[in-house]
Amino acid sequence: MANQLYIFDTTLRDGEQVPGCKLNTEEKIIVAKALEALGVDVIEAGFPVSSPGDFNSVRELSKATSRPIICALTRAVEKDIEVAADALKYAKRKRIHTGIGTSFLHIHHKLMSTEEKVLERAVNAVKYAKKYVEEVEFYAEDAGRSDNEYLARVVEAVIAAGATVINIPDTTGYCLPEMYGAKIKYLMEHVKDIEKAILSTHCHNDLGMATANSIMGVINGARQVEVTMNGIGERAGNTSLEEVVMTFKSHKALNIETNINTKNIYQTSRLVSNLMNMPVQPNKAIVGRNAFAHSSGIHQDGVLKLRENYEIIDPVEVGVQESSILLSARSGRAALRHRLSILGYVFEEEKIDEVYEHFLKLADSQKEISDEDLENLMGKVHRDKQHVKLDSLKVTSGKGLVPSAVVHLDVLGEKIEVSGTGVGGIDAALNAIRSVINKNEFIDEILIQAFSRTTLALGKVHVQLKNQAGKMFHGFAAHQDLITASIEAYLDAVNKMGSIELKKIKEKEL
C-alpha cells in the first residue's frame, strides 16, 4: 500500500509575500476554490493578526471551501492565536499553525532569548492553540540551521503538548538535500512519540534546492510538504507544488501518493500567474511554456516516434493538450512533415526534400517558424512553379525623390526587366509590372499586416485583382520586406487568372 503524502499549499500566505502579488479577498477565494478542485489537503489562508484584510480573507475562505483544512498562521503569542481562532470560526476543518525560531541565530540574535525560554514558549503556544482547535501545527523556524539535538528536544516537547503536525522549515534555503534528509531522519529516530505527529517539510529556494530538499525529507519520513503553485514565495520562492507532485507520480518505486488531480495543474498555474501578476518562466519545470516543447531535430524525431524517448511526463497528465514541436533551423524533415500534415499538407517522400530546402531558407532568417509561416511557405513553393515570377526588384524612394522601381521578372522562362514610378515604393513597382501586363486588370484591394511585433516580423499581403469581366482573383504572399511581399501577392493573383491572360503577356514579345 502506498504512503499518503499530504499537500499543504501556502500560495495564499507565503506565496503572497512576494512584492506585487497581493490579492484581495475575492481573488483569494477564486484561488482557494481552484486549489480545492486541484485536491490540496491544507490551504494556509493567511496570517490573521497581521491585518484586517488577512483576517477577513481567512474568514471568507473558511466559508467558501469545505474539503481542505483551512490553516491560519500565528507567532507563539497568545493574541495571535486568539485572532487566528476567531478568523477560523466558520471553517469546516481548521488548523492553527504556530511556532518560533529554534536556530542559535534566531534564539540569540532575533528573539534575544535562551534555548530554555524558547522551548517553554513553544510548548505554551501549542497548549494555548489546542484550547481552540484540535489540529495544531508547530513550526520550528530556521530548523534548517538548527542544532539537531536541540531541535529534537523542542519537537518532542510540542508533541507532548498536543501538536499534531511538526513543520521543519529550511527557512533560508541553506540546506543541501543530504543535510535536510538527514535532519528529518534524525528526528524520526530520536524523538519520543514521533508517530503521534506528522513531520512536514517547508523549504525555500535560495540555493535552488527547495524541491530536492522536500523530496529528501519525504524519503526520510516526512508525510506533509508545504508548497506553492509555480514555486512563488519570498525571495527566491518556495517548493513548487507541481514539481513535488509530479516527481512522486513519475517515480512510482518511491511508493508515495497524493490527492492531487494532476490534470488541473496547468490551469491552476495559469490562474495563479494571472491573478498575482507573476509570469511563469518559460523553462519552468512542468508548467513553463517550454516544458513540453522540442526544437532539436533529433529530439523531435524521437518524440514523434515515441513520446517517452524524450518526455518522462505525458503533458496530458498535467492538463497540457500536447507536446509542442517548435520548428526552427534545427528541425529535421520528420518534424516539418508532421507539422505540415496537421495543416493538411501531405507529401510523398521525394517531395518533402524540395519543401525542406525552402523551409531551411526561411528558418535561417527567423528564430522560430509558426503555422502561418508554413502556410505562406507552401504558397511560395507553389509560386516557384508559376508562369510569372519575381526574380528581384530595386526600389528608390525618400524625401525629395520620386519613388522609382526596377523589377526583374521571369515570364514563362524569359527574363525581362521593367521600370516604373509612383507615389510610393509599392506603387512604383506595381506600375512597372503593369507596363507589360494588360492594364485593364486593376487592384480592388490590398491588405498589409504583420505577423508579430518584432523588427524581423513577416509582412503578410492580400491582394484582390479584378479582370475586364469583373472576375476577382486573390493573391497572397509574405516577406520581411513589405514591397517584395506586395509584388509577390500581386503576381500570385495574376498567375491565377489562367492561360488566356498569361498569353497576352507573351504576345507582347517582351
Side-chain angles (χ1 to χ4, degrees):
M1 185 177 177
N3 292 296
Q4 179 68 44
L5 178 64
Y6 298 100
I7 302 299
F8 177 115
D9 186 277
T10 185
T11 300
L12 297 175
R13 200 278 301 171
D14 214 344
E16 204 202 19
Q17 291 178 196
V18 178
C21 286
K22 188 72 176 173
L23 301 178
N24 60 39
T25 297
E26 290 74 18
E27 290 168 331
K28 284 189 175 184
I29 290 172
I30 292 171
V31 173
K33 287 184 174 180
L35 293 173
E36 181 174 33
L38 183 61
V40 303
D41 301 288
V42 186
I43 295 176
E44 189 165 46
F47 186 4
V49 81
S50 66
S51 72
D54 249 32
F55 178 90
N56 186 58
S57 291
V58 173
R59 173 167 285 193
E60 294 306 313
L61 260 66
S62 297
K63 297 176 183 177
T65 59
S66 57
R67 193 194 65 79
I69 296 167
I70 301 300
C71 181
L73 185 73
T74 80
R75 296 165 296 182
V77 175
E78 288 188 358
K79 179 64 175 177
D80 284 23
I81 294 168
E82 291 167 4
V83 172
D86 189 18
L88 290 168
K89 182 166 56 177
Y90 298 104
K92 286 75 177 174
R93 305 171 68 194
K94 61 190 75 174
R95 178 186 296 179
I96 289 177
H97 190 189
T98 190
I100 195 168
T102 56
S103 68
F104 181 88
L105 280 169
H106 278 225
I107 292 170
H108 294 279
H109 298 286
K110 175 187 170 184
L111 301 169
M112 303 299 182
S113 188
T114 67
E115 279 76 7
E116 292 307 317
K117 287 181 180 178
V118 163
L119 191 151
E120 182 181 356
R121 281 187 63 184
V123 169
N124 289 340
V126 170
K127 286 181 177 178
Y128 196 68
K130 200 73 175 176
K131 293 180 180 180
Y132 295 97
V133 295
E134 183 59 34
E135 286 201 32
V136 176
E137 179 171 344
F138 174 81
Y139 63 84
E141 189 175 9
D142 204 24
R145 295 187 294 176
S146 296
D147 174 73
N148 283 353
E149 186 178 347
Y150 175 69
L151 183 61
R153 281 179 60 204
V154 174
V155 170
E156 189 169 305
V158 296
I159 290 176
T164 54
V165 181
I166 308 297
N167 178 10
I168 309 299
D170 183 22
T171 305
T172 61
Y174 170 76
C175 287
L176 300 174
E178 185 178 349
M179 293 167 57
Y180 190 78
K183 190 176 289 285
I184 297 296
K185 184 177 182 182
Y186 181 89
L187 296 175
M188 292 294 294
E189 294 176 348
H190 292 84
V191 173
K192 180 184 176 183
D193 293 330
I194 190 66
E195 70 281 355
K196 292 183 179 180
I198 294 172
L199 282 186
S200 179
T201 70
H202 183 110
C203 299
H204 282 260
N205 207 38
D206 297 71
L207 293 176
M209 288 181 277
T211 296
N213 286 341
S214 298
I215 298 299
M216 287 302 294
V218 174
I219 288 173
N220 283 280
R223 286 297 175 265
Q224 177 179 280
V225 287
E226 305 193 4
V227 296
T228 61
M229 282 307 306
N230 304 331
I232 64 171
E234 204 158 346
R235 304 184 312 281
N238 289 43
T239 303
S240 164
L241 179 150
E242 58 274 9
E243 291 173 11
V244 169
V245 169
M246 295 312 296
T247 293
F248 288 115
K249 188 163 186 176
S250 300
H251 290 270
K252 298 188 185 301
L254 294 175
N255 203 31
I256 299 290
E257 288 186 355
T258 72
N259 290 320
I260 297 298
N261 177 3
T262 62
K263 291 184 178 180
N264 283 1
I265 283 177
Y266 188 76
Q267 67 183 47
T268 309
S269 164
R270 286 295 174 267
L271 173 69
V272 169
S273 174
N274 292 335
L275 288 179
M276 289 190 161
N277 196 29
M278 274 285 285
V280 177
Q281 65 192 66
N283 63 325
K284 169 72 176 67
I286 316 300
V287 293
R289 72 169 181 264
N290 292 342
F292 300 100
H294 307 274
S295 63
S296 161
I298 294 172
H299 286 208
Q300 290 172 340
D301 182 58
V303 166
L304 291 172
K305 288 175 178 173
L306 180 68
R307 181 188 58 76
E308 288 82 353
N309 279 327
Y310 286 100
E311 288 182 352
I312 60 170
I313 297 169
D314 186 341
V316 174
E317 289 185 2
V318 297
V320 178
Q321 188 173 1
E322 62 180 358
S323 304
S324 299
I325 302 296
L326 303 180
L327 295 180
S328 69
R330 296 183 299 278
S331 299
R333 289 170 176 78
L336 177 61
R337 184 188 295 110
H338 169 73
R339 198 67 212 166
L340 286 173
S341 69
I342 292 175
L343 296 174
Y345 298 100
V346 181
F347 295 92
E348 298 294 332
E349 190 64 35
E350 62 273 11
K351 294 287 186 181
I352 196 67
D353 290 338
E354 178 188 349
V355 177
Y356 187 64
E357 287 181 16
H358 289 285
F359 164 77
L360 287 180
K361 290 177 183 177
L362 179 61
D364 278 338
S365 66
Q366 294 181 215
K367 291 183 178 180
E368 192 175 306
I369 305 299
S370 68
D371 285 351
E372 206 157 15
D373 293 331
L374 288 180
E375 293 279 10
N376 282 281
L377 172 69
M378 295 314 299
K380 184 178 186 305
V381 171
H382 170 69
R383 283 194 295 277
D384 284 348
K385 301 179 185 299
Q386 292 178 339
H387 299 295
V388 183
K389 294 184 287 187
L390 175 67
D391 279 347
S392 66
L393 69 85
K394 180 180 179 181
V395 175
T396 302
S397 65
K399 188 174 182 179
L401 298 176
V402 176
S404 61
V406 177
V407 183
H408 291 91
L409 297 172
D410 181 318
V411 182
L412 296 174
E414 184 177 347
K415 307 295 184 180
I416 65 171
E417 177 184 305
V418 290
S419 60
T421 59
V423 295
I426 294 175
D427 189 46
L430 289 176
N431 285 336
I433 296 171
R434 288 192 185 104
S435 69
V436 292
I437 293 179
N438 196 320
K439 294 181 181 179
N440 291 321
E441 283 87 35
F442 65 92
I443 292 175
D444 182 70
E445 181 181 90
I446 180 167
L447 176 65
I448 301 174
Q449 66 184 95
F451 285 169
S452 68
R453 297 175 183 175
T454 69
T455 56
L456 295 176
L458 283 180
K460 178 182 177 182
V461 178
H462 169 213
V463 169
Q464 288 185 178
L465 195 63
K466 189 180 292 185
N467 67 8
Q468 288 175 297
K471 185 176 180 182
M472 196 73 72
F473 297 87
H474 298 270
F476 302 90
H479 197 279
Q480 287 173 329
D481 178 72
L482 283 176
I483 298 178
T484 300
S486 300
I487 301 310
E488 288 190 339
Y490 177 80
L491 292 177
D492 185 38
V494 167
N495 277 285
K496 289 174 181 176
M497 288 181 172
S499 58
I500 296 176
E501 286 78 11
L502 290 174
K503 282 181 181 178
K504 292 178 182 177
I505 300 174
K506 192 64 177 175
E507 285 169 2
K508 291 180 181 290
E509 298 179 356
L510 303 173

